[in-house]
Amino acid sequence: LSELDKNGPRQYIFALEGTGRLNEAIHTLENAPALQSNTDLMGLLGGRYKRKYLIERTQSELDKAIHWYGKALTLSQEKDNSAQVYYHAINLAFLYLMQDDTDRTQNKAMAELALAHCDKVKDGQYWEIATRAEAQLYLGDIDKSVAHYQRAINLCKNNIRETSSMYINARHACNALHRPEWESRIEELFQ
């Protein structure tokens, strides 16, 4: 890992996960020397715990995902790094919805925070647009959500990893929101 370029560790983690070695990806991130100060690595670790939670549905995996995204969000806010803030906030919005779909206070607050920081960044990259799409799901505007998802899909040129990540969150969110009609609209986009 120490010999990889700046994008190498991220690709390595995705490769481990993509070949069914999720636990090894988690172990690698947990033992990375830069983990305690690098919000991107914290988000990667939170994301691996989120994926593990979606497979295993254990509270401990959900708690670990919330912990790492929460820590990364706090540090990103301290550094006034809006791109990192919206990344961690939208993931926390999702996780808070998974944690409790009856009290949406934290879910909506994180969605609003993510949107506010998307507005600060306005880079037009697909993750910014996908974040807007997911936030609109949580805030109840399916039409805006669908429009943003369509734009994000087009921008990432249907890259399998990116579109799969968008779809997984959207599908689980619609299910937790008890909106099967929204899920049908989302599914049409990602086919």
Short mmCIF file of all heavy atoms in Angstrom, two decimals, residues 50-99:
data_model
loop_
_atom_site.label_atom_id
_atom_site.label_comp_id
_atom_site.label_asym_id
_atom_site.label_seq_id
_atom_site.Cartn_x
_atom_site.Cartn_y
_atom_site.Cartn_z
N LYS A 50 -20.88 0.01 6.01
CA LYS A 50 -22.25 0.17 5.51
C LYS A 50 -22.61 -1.00 4.61
O LYS A 50 -23.69 -1.58 4.74
CB LYS A 50 -22.38 1.49 4.75
CG LYS A 50 -23.76 1.70 4.14
CD LYS A 50 -23.89 3.07 3.49
CE LYS A 50 -23.20 3.09 2.15
NZ LYS A 50 -23.48 4.33 1.38
N ARG A 51 -21.71 -1.37 3.70
CA ARG A 51 -21.96 -2.51 2.81
C ARG A 51 -22.13 -3.80 3.62
O ARG A 51 -23.01 -4.61 3.34
CB ARG A 51 -20.82 -2.68 1.81
CG ARG A 51 -20.68 -1.56 0.83
CD ARG A 51 -21.75 -1.62 -0.25
NE ARG A 51 -21.50 -0.60 -1.25
CZ ARG A 51 -22.24 0.49 -1.41
NH1 ARG A 51 -23.28 0.69 -0.65
NH2 ARG A 51 -21.95 1.35 -2.34
N LYS A 52 -21.28 -3.96 4.63
CA LYS A 52 -21.37 -5.16 5.45
C LYS A 52 -22.70 -5.17 6.22
O LYS A 52 -23.34 -6.22 6.34
CB LYS A 52 -20.18 -5.21 6.41
CG LYS A 52 -20.00 -6.56 7.06
CD LYS A 52 -18.66 -6.67 7.74
CE LYS A 52 -18.55 -8.06 8.33
NZ LYS A 52 -17.31 -8.30 9.00
N TYR A 53 -23.10 -4.02 6.70
CA TYR A 53 -24.39 -3.92 7.38
C TYR A 53 -25.54 -4.32 6.44
O TYR A 53 -26.45 -5.06 6.83
CB TYR A 53 -24.63 -2.50 7.92
CG TYR A 53 -26.07 -2.27 8.28
CD1 TYR A 53 -26.62 -2.83 9.42
CD2 TYR A 53 -26.90 -1.53 7.44
CE1 TYR A 53 -27.96 -2.65 9.73
CE2 TYR A 53 -28.24 -1.35 7.74
CZ TYR A 53 -28.77 -1.91 8.88
OH TYR A 53 -30.09 -1.74 9.18
N LEU A 54 -25.50 -3.85 5.22
CA LEU A 54 -26.58 -4.15 4.27
C LEU A 54 -26.66 -5.64 3.95
O LEU A 54 -27.72 -6.14 3.59
CB LEU A 54 -26.42 -3.33 2.99
CG LEU A 54 -26.65 -1.83 3.16
CD1 LEU A 54 -26.32 -1.09 1.87
CD2 LEU A 54 -28.09 -1.53 3.60
N ILE A 55 -25.55 -6.34 4.11
CA ILE A 55 -25.52 -7.79 3.89
C ILE A 55 -25.95 -8.53 5.15
O ILE A 55 -26.81 -9.41 5.11
CB ILE A 55 -24.11 -8.25 3.46
CG1 ILE A 55 -23.75 -7.66 2.10
CG2 ILE A 55 -24.02 -9.78 3.44
CD1 ILE A 55 -22.27 -7.77 1.75
N GLU A 56 -25.35 -8.16 6.29
CA GLU A 56 -25.53 -8.92 7.53
C GLU A 56 -26.64 -8.39 8.42
O GLU A 56 -27.15 -9.12 9.27
CB GLU A 56 -24.21 -8.96 8.30
CG GLU A 56 -23.11 -9.67 7.53
CD GLU A 56 -21.78 -9.66 8.25
OE1 GLU A 56 -21.70 -9.19 9.41
OE2 GLU A 56 -20.80 -10.12 7.63
N ARG A 57 -26.96 -7.11 8.30
CA ARG A 57 -27.99 -6.45 9.12
C ARG A 57 -27.73 -6.56 10.61
O ARG A 57 -28.64 -6.72 11.41
CB ARG A 57 -29.38 -7.00 8.79
CG ARG A 57 -29.87 -6.67 7.42
CD ARG A 57 -30.05 -5.20 7.26
NE ARG A 57 -30.60 -4.90 5.95
CZ ARG A 57 -31.13 -3.75 5.63
NH1 ARG A 57 -31.20 -2.79 6.52
NH2 ARG A 57 -31.57 -3.54 4.43
N THR A 58 -26.45 -6.41 11.01
CA THR A 58 -26.12 -6.42 12.43
C THR A 58 -25.95 -4.99 12.93
O THR A 58 -25.42 -4.13 12.22
CB THR A 58 -24.83 -7.22 12.70
OG1 THR A 58 -23.75 -6.60 12.01
CG2 THR A 58 -24.97 -8.67 12.27
N GLN A 59 -26.41 -4.76 14.14
CA GLN A 59 -26.34 -3.43 14.74
C GLN A 59 -24.91 -2.95 14.86
O GLN A 59 -24.62 -1.77 14.67
CB GLN A 59 -27.03 -3.42 16.11
CG GLN A 59 -27.14 -2.05 16.74
CD GLN A 59 -28.02 -1.10 15.95
OE1 GLN A 59 -29.10 -1.48 15.49
NE2 GLN A 59 -27.57 0.14 15.78
N SER A 60 -23.99 -3.85 15.17
CA SER A 60 -22.60 -3.44 15.35
C SER A 60 -22.01 -2.87 14.06
O SER A 60 -21.24 -1.91 14.10
CB SER A 60 -21.74 -4.60 15.88
OG SER A 60 -21.64 -5.62 14.92
N GLU A 61 -22.36 -3.45 12.92
CA GLU A 61 -21.85 -2.93 11.64
C GLU A 61 -22.45 -1.55 11.36
O GLU A 61 -21.75 -0.65 10.88
CB GLU A 61 -22.16 -3.89 10.49
CG GLU A 61 -21.68 -5.31 10.68
CD GLU A 61 -20.20 -5.45 10.96
OE1 GLU A 61 -19.40 -4.60 10.54
OE2 GLU A 61 -19.83 -6.44 11.64
N LEU A 62 -23.73 -1.39 11.64
CA LEU A 62 -24.37 -0.08 11.46
C LEU A 62 -23.73 0.96 12.38
O LEU A 62 -23.42 2.07 11.94
CB LEU A 62 -25.87 -0.20 11.75
CG LEU A 62 -26.69 1.09 11.63
CD1 LEU A 62 -26.63 1.67 10.22
CD2 LEU A 62 -28.15 0.82 12.03
N ASP A 63 -23.49 0.60 13.62
CA ASP A 63 -22.86 1.52 14.58
C ASP A 63 -21.46 1.94 14.12
O ASP A 63 -21.07 3.10 14.23
CB ASP A 63 -22.77 0.89 15.97
CG ASP A 63 -24.13 0.72 16.63
OD1 ASP A 63 -25.12 1.34 16.18
OD2 ASP A 63 -24.21 -0.08 17.59
N LYS A 64 -20.68 0.98 13.60
CA LYS A 64 -19.34 1.29 13.12
C LYS A 64 -19.39 2.21 11.91
O LYS A 64 -18.58 3.14 11.79
CB LYS A 64 -18.57 0.01 12.79
CG LYS A 64 -18.19 -0.79 14.01
CD LYS A 64 -17.58 -2.13 13.63
CE LYS A 64 -17.36 -3.01 14.83
NZ LYS A 64 -16.89 -4.36 14.46
N ALA A 65 -20.32 1.97 11.01
CA ALA A 65 -20.47 2.84 9.83
C ALA A 65 -20.82 4.25 10.27
O ALA A 65 -20.21 5.24 9.80
CB ALA A 65 -21.54 2.29 8.88
N ILE A 66 -21.76 4.40 11.20
CA ILE A 66 -22.14 5.71 11.70
C ILE A 66 -20.96 6.38 12.40
O ILE A 66 -20.72 7.58 12.22
CB ILE A 66 -23.37 5.61 12.63
CG1 ILE A 66 -24.62 5.26 11.80
CG2 ILE A 66 -23.58 6.90 13.42
CD1 ILE A 66 -25.85 4.91 12.62
N HIS A 67 -20.22 5.62 13.17
CA HIS A 67 -19.06 6.17 13.88
C HIS A 67 -18.06 6.78 12.89
O HIS A 67 -17.63 7.93 13.07
CB HIS A 67 -18.37 5.09 14.71
CG HIS A 67 -17.00 5.49 15.17
ND1 HIS A 67 -16.80 6.33 16.25
CD2 HIS A 67 -15.77 5.19 14.68
CE1 HIS A 67 -15.49 6.54 16.40
NE2 HIS A 67 -14.85 5.86 15.47
N TRP A 68 -17.67 6.02 11.88
CA TRP A 68 -16.63 6.51 10.97
C TRP A 68 -17.11 7.65 10.10
O TRP A 68 -16.38 8.62 9.89
CB TRP A 68 -16.04 5.36 10.15
CG TRP A 68 -15.13 4.54 10.99
CD1 TRP A 68 -15.36 3.28 11.49
CD2 TRP A 68 -13.87 4.94 11.52
NE1 TRP A 68 -14.31 2.88 12.27
CE2 TRP A 68 -13.38 3.88 12.31
CE3 TRP A 68 -13.09 6.10 11.39
CZ2 TRP A 68 -12.15 3.93 12.97
CZ3 TRP A 68 -11.86 6.14 12.05
CH2 TRP A 68 -11.41 5.08 12.82
N TYR A 69 -18.33 7.59 9.60
CA TYR A 69 -18.84 8.72 8.83
C TYR A 69 -19.02 9.94 9.72
O TYR A 69 -18.77 11.08 9.30
CB TYR A 69 -20.17 8.37 8.15
CG TYR A 69 -20.03 7.62 6.86
CD1 TYR A 69 -20.63 6.38 6.69
CD2 TYR A 69 -19.32 8.14 5.78
CE1 TYR A 69 -20.53 5.67 5.50
CE2 TYR A 69 -19.21 7.45 4.58
CZ TYR A 69 -19.82 6.22 4.45
OH TYR A 69 -19.71 5.54 3.27
N GLY A 70 -19.45 9.73 10.97
CA GLY A 70 -19.61 10.85 11.89
C GLY A 70 -18.30 11.53 12.23
O GLY A 70 -18.20 12.76 12.25
N LYS A 71 -17.28 10.73 12.48
CA LYS A 71 -15.96 11.28 12.78
C LYS A 71 -15.43 12.05 11.57
O LYS A 71 -14.88 13.15 11.70
CB LYS A 71 -15.00 10.14 13.16
CG LYS A 71 -13.63 10.61 13.56
CD LYS A 71 -12.78 9.46 14.09
CE LYS A 71 -11.41 9.99 14.50
NZ LYS A 71 -10.60 8.99 15.17
N ALA A 72 -15.60 11.47 10.38
CA ALA A 72 -15.14 12.13 9.16
C ALA A 72 -15.90 13.43 8.91
O ALA A 72 -15.31 14.43 8.49
CB ALA A 72 -15.30 11.18 7.97
N LEU A 73 -17.19 13.43 9.21
CA LEU A 73 -17.99 14.64 9.03
C LEU A 73 -17.50 15.74 9.95
O LEU A 73 -17.31 16.89 9.51
CB LEU A 73 -19.47 14.35 9.29
CG LEU A 73 -20.40 15.57 9.22
CD1 LEU A 73 -20.40 16.20 7.83
CD2 LEU A 73 -21.81 15.19 9.64
N THR A 74 -17.27 15.42 11.21
CA THR A 74 -16.79 16.42 12.16
C THR A 74 -15.47 17.04 11.71
O THR A 74 -15.32 18.27 11.69
CB THR A 74 -16.64 15.79 13.56
OG1 THR A 74 -17.92 15.32 13.99
CG2 THR A 74 -16.09 16.79 14.56
N LEU A 75 -14.52 16.19 11.31
CA LEU A 75 -13.23 16.70 10.85
C LEU A 75 -13.37 17.52 9.56
O LEU A 75 -12.70 18.54 9.40
CB LEU A 75 -12.24 15.56 10.64
CG LEU A 75 -11.73 14.86 11.90
CD1 LEU A 75 -10.87 13.66 11.54
CD2 LEU A 75 -10.95 15.83 12.77
N SER A 76 -14.23 17.08 8.67
CA SER A 76 -14.45 17.80 7.41
C SER A 76 -15.06 19.18 7.66
O SER A 76 -14.71 20.15 6.98
CB SER A 76 -15.34 16.99 6.48
OG SER A 76 -14.72 15.77 6.14
N GLN A 77 -15.97 19.25 8.63
CA GLN A 77 -16.56 20.55 8.97
C GLN A 77 -15.51 21.46 9.59
O GLN A 77 -15.48 22.65 9.29
CB GLN A 77 -17.75 20.36 9.92
CG GLN A 77 -18.95 19.76 9.23
CD GLN A 77 -20.07 19.43 10.20
OE1 GLN A 77 -19.87 18.76 11.21
NE2 GLN A 77 -21.26 19.91 9.90
N GLU A 78 -14.65 20.90 10.43
CA GLU A 78 -13.59 21.70 11.04
C GLU A 78 -12.64 22.26 9.98
O GLU A 78 -12.14 23.37 10.11
CB GLU A 78 -12.80 20.86 12.04
CG GLU A 78 -13.57 20.55 13.31
CD GLU A 78 -12.87 19.54 14.21
OE1 GLU A 78 -11.74 19.11 13.89
OE2 GLU A 78 -13.47 19.16 15.24
N LYS A 79 -12.40 21.49 8.94
CA LYS A 79 -11.51 21.90 7.85
C LYS A 79 -12.25 22.71 6.77
O LYS A 79 -11.64 23.15 5.81
CB LYS A 79 -10.86 20.68 7.21
CG LYS A 79 -9.95 19.92 8.13
CD LYS A 79 -9.42 18.66 7.45
CE LYS A 79 -8.55 17.86 8.39
NZ LYS A 79 -8.07 16.60 7.79
N ASP A 80 -13.57 22.86 6.93
CA ASP A 80 -14.41 23.55 5.95
C ASP A 80 -14.22 22.97 4.55
O ASP A 80 -14.07 23.69 3.57
CB ASP A 80 -14.15 25.06 5.96
CG ASP A 80 -15.28 25.83 5.29
OD1 ASP A 80 -16.43 25.36 5.30
OD2 ASP A 80 -15.00 26.92 4.74
N ASN A 81 -14.24 21.64 4.48
CA ASN A 81 -14.08 20.92 3.22
C ASN A 81 -15.46 20.44 2.77
O ASN A 81 -15.92 19.36 3.13
CB ASN A 81 -13.12 19.74 3.40
CG ASN A 81 -12.85 19.00 2.11
OD1 ASN A 81 -13.63 19.02 1.18
ND2 ASN A 81 -11.71 18.32 2.07
N SER A 82 -16.14 21.29 1.99
CA SER A 82 -17.53 21.02 1.61
C SER A 82 -17.71 19.73 0.82
O SER A 82 -18.72 19.04 0.99
CB SER A 82 -18.10 22.20 0.82
OG SER A 82 -18.31 23.29 1.68
N ALA A 83 -16.76 19.37 -0.03
CA ALA A 83 -16.89 18.13 -0.81
C ALA A 83 -16.90 16.92 0.13
O ALA A 83 -17.67 15.97 -0.07
CB ALA A 83 -15.77 18.01 -1.83
N GLN A 84 -16.07 16.96 1.16
CA GLN A 84 -16.07 15.87 2.12
C GLN A 84 -17.30 15.93 3.02
O GLN A 84 -17.86 14.90 3.38
CB GLN A 84 -14.79 15.90 2.96
CG GLN A 84 -13.56 15.42 2.23
CD GLN A 84 -13.55 13.91 2.04
OE1 GLN A 84 -13.58 13.15 2.99
NE2 GLN A 84 -13.53 13.47 0.79
N VAL A 85 -17.75 17.13 3.36
CA VAL A 85 -18.94 17.26 4.21
C VAL A 85 -20.14 16.64 3.52
O VAL A 85 -20.86 15.84 4.12
CB VAL A 85 -19.23 18.74 4.58
CG1 VAL A 85 -20.61 18.87 5.25
CG2 VAL A 85 -18.15 19.28 5.50
N TYR A 86 -20.38 16.96 2.24
CA TYR A 86 -21.58 16.39 1.62
C TYR A 86 -21.46 14.88 1.46
O TYR A 86 -22.46 14.16 1.58
CB TYR A 86 -21.98 17.11 0.33
CG TYR A 86 -21.23 16.82 -0.95
CD1 TYR A 86 -21.27 15.58 -1.58
CD2 TYR A 86 -20.53 17.84 -1.60
CE1 TYR A 86 -20.62 15.34 -2.78
CE2 TYR A 86 -19.88 17.62 -2.81
CZ TYR A 86 -19.92 16.36 -3.39
OH TYR A 86 -19.30 16.13 -4.58
N TYR A 87 -20.26 14.38 1.22
CA TYR A 87 -20.04 12.94 1.10
C TYR A 87 -20.40 12.22 2.40
O TYR A 87 -21.14 11.22 2.40
CB TYR A 87 -18.57 12.72 0.72
CG TYR A 87 -17.97 11.35 0.89
CD1 TYR A 87 -18.61 10.20 0.47
CD2 TYR A 87 -16.70 11.22 1.48
CE1 TYR A 87 -18.01 8.94 0.62
CE2 TYR A 87 -16.10 9.99 1.62
CZ TYR A 87 -16.76 8.85 1.20
OH TYR A 87 -16.16 7.63 1.35
N HIS A 88 -19.92 12.72 3.51
CA HIS A 88 -20.18 12.06 4.78
C HIS A 88 -21.61 12.32 5.26
O HIS A 88 -22.24 11.40 5.81
CB HIS A 88 -19.16 12.51 5.83
CG HIS A 88 -17.76 12.26 5.39
ND1 HIS A 88 -17.30 11.01 5.03
CD2 HIS A 88 -16.71 13.10 5.22
CE1 HIS A 88 -16.04 11.09 4.66
NE2 HIS A 88 -15.65 12.35 4.76
N ALA A 89 -22.13 13.51 5.03
CA ALA A 89 -23.49 13.83 5.48
C ALA A 89 -24.54 12.98 4.77
O ALA A 89 -25.48 12.48 5.41
CB ALA A 89 -23.78 15.32 5.27
N ILE A 90 -24.39 12.77 3.47
CA ILE A 90 -25.40 11.99 2.76
C ILE A 90 -25.35 10.53 3.19
O ILE A 90 -26.38 9.86 3.27
CB ILE A 90 -25.30 12.15 1.21
CG1 ILE A 90 -26.63 11.74 0.55
CG2 ILE A 90 -24.15 11.35 0.64
CD1 ILE A 90 -27.81 12.59 0.91
N ASN A 91 -24.16 10.04 3.49
CA ASN A 91 -24.06 8.67 3.98
C ASN A 91 -24.65 8.54 5.37
O ASN A 91 -25.30 7.53 5.69
CB ASN A 91 -22.61 8.19 3.93
CG ASN A 91 -22.24 7.74 2.54
OD1 ASN A 91 -22.70 6.70 2.08
ND2 ASN A 91 -21.42 8.52 1.85
N LEU A 92 -24.47 9.55 6.21
CA LEU A 92 -25.11 9.53 7.52
C LEU A 92 -26.63 9.63 7.39
O LEU A 92 -27.36 8.97 8.14
CB LEU A 92 -24.57 10.66 8.40
CG LEU A 92 -23.20 10.39 9.00
CD1 LEU A 92 -22.61 11.67 9.60
CD2 LEU A 92 -23.26 9.28 10.05
N ALA A 93 -27.12 10.41 6.44
CA ALA A 93 -28.56 10.49 6.20
C ALA A 93 -29.10 9.09 5.92
O ALA A 93 -30.13 8.67 6.48
CB ALA A 93 -28.87 11.44 5.05
N PHE A 94 -28.42 8.37 5.05
CA PHE A 94 -28.83 7.00 4.71
C PHE A 94 -28.79 6.10 5.95
O PHE A 94 -29.75 5.38 6.24
CB PHE A 94 -27.88 6.45 3.63
CG PHE A 94 -28.14 5.01 3.29
CD1 PHE A 94 -29.10 4.67 2.36
CD2 PHE A 94 -27.39 3.99 3.88
CE1 PHE A 94 -29.34 3.33 2.04
CE2 PHE A 94 -27.61 2.66 3.56
CZ PHE A 94 -28.59 2.33 2.63
N LEU A 95 -27.70 6.16 6.69
CA LEU A 95 -27.55 5.28 7.85
C LEU A 95 -28.55 5.60 8.95
O LEU A 95 -29.08 4.68 9.60
CB LEU A 95 -26.12 5.38 8.38
CG LEU A 95 -25.06 4.81 7.43
CD1 LEU A 95 -23.66 5.24 7.87
CD2 LEU A 95 -25.16 3.31 7.30
N TYR A 96 -28.85 6.88 9.15
CA TYR A 96 -29.86 7.23 10.15
C TYR A 96 -31.24 6.73 9.74
O TYR A 96 -32.04 6.34 10.59
CB TYR A 96 -29.89 8.74 10.39
CG TYR A 96 -28.67 9.26 11.14
CD1 TYR A 96 -28.11 10.49 10.82
CD2 TYR A 96 -28.08 8.54 12.18
CE1 TYR A 96 -27.01 10.98 11.50
CE2 TYR A 96 -26.98 9.01 12.86
CZ TYR A 96 -26.44 10.24 12.52
OH TYR A 96 -25.35 10.71 13.20
N LEU A 97 -31.52 6.72 8.44
CA LEU A 97 -32.79 6.16 7.97
C LEU A 97 -32.82 4.66 8.22
O LEU A 97 -33.85 4.11 8.63
CB LEU A 97 -32.98 6.46 6.47
CG LEU A 97 -34.24 5.89 5.84
CD1 LEU A 97 -35.50 6.47 6.48
CD2 LEU A 97 -34.23 6.14 4.33
N MET A 98 -31.69 3.98 7.99
CA MET A 98 -31.63 2.54 8.25
C MET A 98 -31.80 2.25 9.74
O MET A 98 -32.43 1.28 10.13
CB MET A 98 -30.30 1.95 7.77
CG MET A 98 -30.06 2.01 6.28
SD MET A 98 -31.27 1.10 5.29
CE MET A 98 -32.22 2.45 4.58
N GLN A 99 -31.24 3.14 10.56
CA GLN A 99 -31.29 2.97 12.01
C GLN A 99 -32.71 3.12 12.55
O GLN A 99 -33.13 2.38 13.43
CB GLN A 99 -30.36 3.98 12.67
CG GLN A 99 -30.21 3.82 14.16
CD GLN A 99 -29.18 4.80 14.70
OE1 GLN A 99 -29.20 5.99 14.37
NE2 GLN A 99 -28.27 4.30 15.51
#
